[in-house]
Amino acid sequence: MLTVRVERAAADTVLARVATQVEEASEVKAATQLFIDRIEQRYSVLVVALTLTLTAVPLGFGAHFTPTLLRAMTFMIVASPCAVVLATMPPLLSVIANAGRHGVLVKNAVVLEQMAGVDTVALDKTGTLTHGSPRVTDILGLAGRDEAQLLTLAAGAEAPSEHPLGRAVAAAARARGLPVPSAQGFRARPGRGVQAIVDGRDVLVGHPVLLPDGDPGDRARAVVNDLENTGRTAVVIVIDGHPAGVLALSDTVRRDAPVAVSELARLVQRSPVLLTGDNVHAARRLAVEVGIDNVHAGLLPQDKTAAVRTLQHAGRRVLLVGDGVNDAPALATADVGIAMGRAGSDLALQAADAVVVRDDLRTVPAVLTMSRRARRVVIANLTLAATVITVLVGWDLLAQLPLPLGVAGHEGSTVIVGLNGLRLLSRRTWPTLGGERRAAQPAADDVPAANNHPQPQEALAGPGPS
Ligand code: ADP
Ligand code: MG
């Protein structure tokens, strides 16, 4: 018998809320649009005032009524800013809808505008460049401790943890048929580890810095060094204040990570930065594998935030990709934060500006490319709209612009600007990188299974702009 208790409705999951936010993206106006809106109000008043002037002044000088009215009306039509108003939101919302279909939920148009200006990319390691499903490879008991008992206690403490390492430790115990005792007083320290009372013992599992100073700690540190030198992640187990064992874990690099990294480097003309809480050996090894040469290891959540701030103070606009609770503050600090949706913690999804729900890192450079395309389209649209208005207004004032031609020019430019934006809705505009599936519909394994998140793509199937 399987008993299932549902604690929250599907619509209440963080990812579902993010999806709702994306659906409501059209309500959040881009900065460019807000600027245009402000100008447009005054501009419209000006157009009406000029139309009245163009009618009244010539009439006052005894001009004929019909041609004067015709010229003034033509002026009012061709000077109207319809195309300008339509220049910005359709391209941005088209990209949001297109990205949604390809598994990236961009929360709003402001995010896309910011993304287009990004010049530095920072990446988290565990769960972002790696699969985030590490496996325990070795269990080393200190001072003759029993390995099975060590793993049992560690698994008990880690069972409530959402961290990939925590899940790996619990899974290792289950795989060996060991019981996973329940823990009391569980406490997670993001970027450090967990602590709980298991079977009456105070169990601490986490980063080697948690080791107490002095002799037994030093012996454990020697074991840790050996493991780290092989590129693995070492997690220490401290029981009732005494170092008791070391677990070695290794994670696999995402197959798509090297392509995504090189594409991101090409886009921003700069090698991405690796920000990780893991040890420097594991970090360097992975960095070489994916093609990153700028590595910051051993970072706590606040250090990741500080690293992002340092880059920003140097005038960089930073895009950060991360997944964990430990990345959430840095995701919020970065100019643009993108969270990996499958392995990602709810906090990271909330803090991020965009969420990758299809578990593919290549969608990050793809959405970056699209944000830049959207910016180019916005600029092209505004240029076209302004040029048409200037030419038609000049023609009407200096010569005789026939009304039908004025209407055709005005409406024509409005339609062209609108269609130019909607072009980005087409699936064909989505960039594909090395060997990426061109699946229109996400495959079954694209559904973030671990978190029971509903599939938000469907909600985004319709075109965004209205
Ligand atoms: P990353 O920045 O690579 O995503 P984290 O900041 O999440 O890594 O973790 C940094 C380090 O903190 C890990 O390498 C590990 O040593 C330790 N750690 C964090 N959480 C846990 C946990 N639940 N169990 C064991 N170790 C942990
Ligand atoms: Mg991580």
Side-chain angles (χ1 to χ4, degrees):
M1 188 182 73
L2 179 69
T3 309
V4 177
R5 189 172 77 204
V6 177
E7 297 184 319
R8 273 193 293 173
D12 294 336
T13 63
V14 174
L15 200 58
R17 286 204 302 267
V18 171
T20 311
Q21 235 174 324
V22 178
E23 281 178 73
E24 289 160 1
S26 58
E27 286 158 27
V28 182
K29 287 190 177 177
T32 313
Q33 187 64 38
L34 289 175
F35 177 72
I36 290 170
D37 286 358
R38 268 205 313 280
I39 303 278
E40 188 228 328
Q41 282 177 358
R42 283 178 223 152
Y43 179 83
S44 301
V45 173
L46 184 74
V47 169
V48 173
L50 283 175
T51 306
L52 292 176
T53 315
L54 276 176
T55 320
V57 174
L59 286 182
F61 282 99
H64 286 294
F65 180 73
T66 310
T68 304
L69 186 69
L70 204 58
R71 165 172 286 188
M73 288 299 115
T74 309
F75 169 81
M76 189 164 80
I77 290 164
V78 299
S80 295
C82 301
V84 177
V85 173
L86 215 59
T88 309
M89 290 308 277
L92 294 175
L93 292 176
S94 295
V95 169
I96 289 178
N98 205 341
R101 290 202 202 111
H102 287 88
V104 187
L105 304 182
V106 179
K107 289 187 183 171
N108 56 53
V110 180
V111 172
L112 270 187
E113 279 189 318
Q114 295 259 8
M115 203 184 287
V118 153
D119 59 9
T120 303
V121 179
L123 299 153
D124 162 58
K125 183 177 82 71
T126 318
T128 302
L129 291 172
T130 70
H131 282 112
S133 43
R135 276 184 332 106
V136 174
T137 59
D138 296 273
I139 307 157
L140 303 159
L142 296 169
R145 292 260 191 175
D146 176 48
E147 286 166 11
Q149 192 211 7
L150 266 181
L151 188 57
T152 305
L153 291 177
E158 291 277 26
S161 171
E162 95 301 338
H163 197 277
L165 293 177
R167 285 198 291 228
V169 174
R174 284 189 209 105
R176 286 166 176 75
L178 298 170
V180 178
S182 63
Q184 267 90 48
F186 171 84
R187 226 160 56 86
R189 289 157 66 181
R192 278 293 177 252
V194 298
Q195 186 162 19
I197 306 292
V198 185
D199 288 347
R201 320 281 281 277
D202 177 18
V203 182
L204 183 64
V205 189
H207 198 278
V209 296
L210 299 173
L211 285 171
D213 291 332
D215 186 35
D218 289 342
R219 256 179 292 141
R221 263 185 284 275
V223 176
V224 165
N225 277 340
D226 287 346
L227 287 174
E228 290 187 347
N229 282 331
T230 66
R232 279 177 286 180
T233 302
V235 164
V236 299
I237 306 169
V238 179
I239 296 174
D240 294 327
H242 303 293
V246 182
L247 300 175
L249 293 105
S250 72
D251 199 355
T252 47
V253 179
R254 282 177 193 272
R255 225 162 18 104
D256 48 25
V259 184
V261 167
S262 71
E263 188 60 16
L264 285 168
R266 191 186 65 78
L267 284 171
V268 302
Q269 297 286 304
R270 200 175 256 141
S271 168
V273 186
L274 180 66
L275 303 180
T276 178
D278 203 353
N279 74 77
V280 71
H281 302 286
R284 285 245 174 83
R285 182 172 282 233
L286 174 117
V288 169
E289 240 175 288
V290 300
I292 295 181
D293 40 46
N294 197 345
V295 179
H296 299 262
L299 304 182
L300 284 173
Q302 60 268 34
D303 303 329
K304 289 196 181 193
T305 312
V308 170
R309 285 239 169 82
T310 309
L311 288 168
Q312 288 172 329
H313 287 154
R316 308 277 193 83
R317 272 161 298 168
V318 183
L319 165 72
L320 176 73
V321 191
D323 70 307
V325 173
N326 61 323
D327 299 318
L331 284 170
T333 306
D335 297 82
V336 179
I338 300 185
M340 302 302 288
R342 179 181 294 207
S345 74
D346 285 356
L347 200 59
L349 303 195
Q350 258 161 348
D353 300 303
V355 176
V356 174
V357 286
R358 173 195 271 192
D359 205 37
D360 187 340
L361 210 52
R362 283 170 300 194
T363 52
V364 177
V367 76
L368 186 58
T369 306
M370 287 303 279
S371 73
R372 292 179 174 193
R373 262 186 213 162
R375 183 172 64 178
R376 281 201 296 275
V377 170
V378 169
I379 293 170
N381 276 351
L382 288 173
T383 311
L384 178 78
T387 309
V388 170
I389 288 175
T390 313
V391 168
L392 293 182
V393 166
W395 190 343
D396 183 49
L397 294 183
L398 302 174
Q400 187 85 53
L401 172 65
L403 181 60
L405 198 61
V407 171
H410 172 78
E411 302 301 344
S413 66
T414 307
V415 170
I416 288 171
V417 161
L419 289 178
N420 197 27
L422 294 178
R423 227 165 22 96
L424 296 176
L425 209 51
S426 154
R427 288 185 208 282
R428 264 170 313 174
T429 58
W430 188 261
T432 44
L433 304 171
E436 190 180 344
R437 282 171 299 168
R438 202 161 202 168
Q441 285 304 312
D445 68 352
D446 288 329
V447 183
N451 297 345
N452 269 342
H453 289 313
Q455 197 172 335
Q457 282 91 338
E458 278 158 23
L460 297 163
S466 52

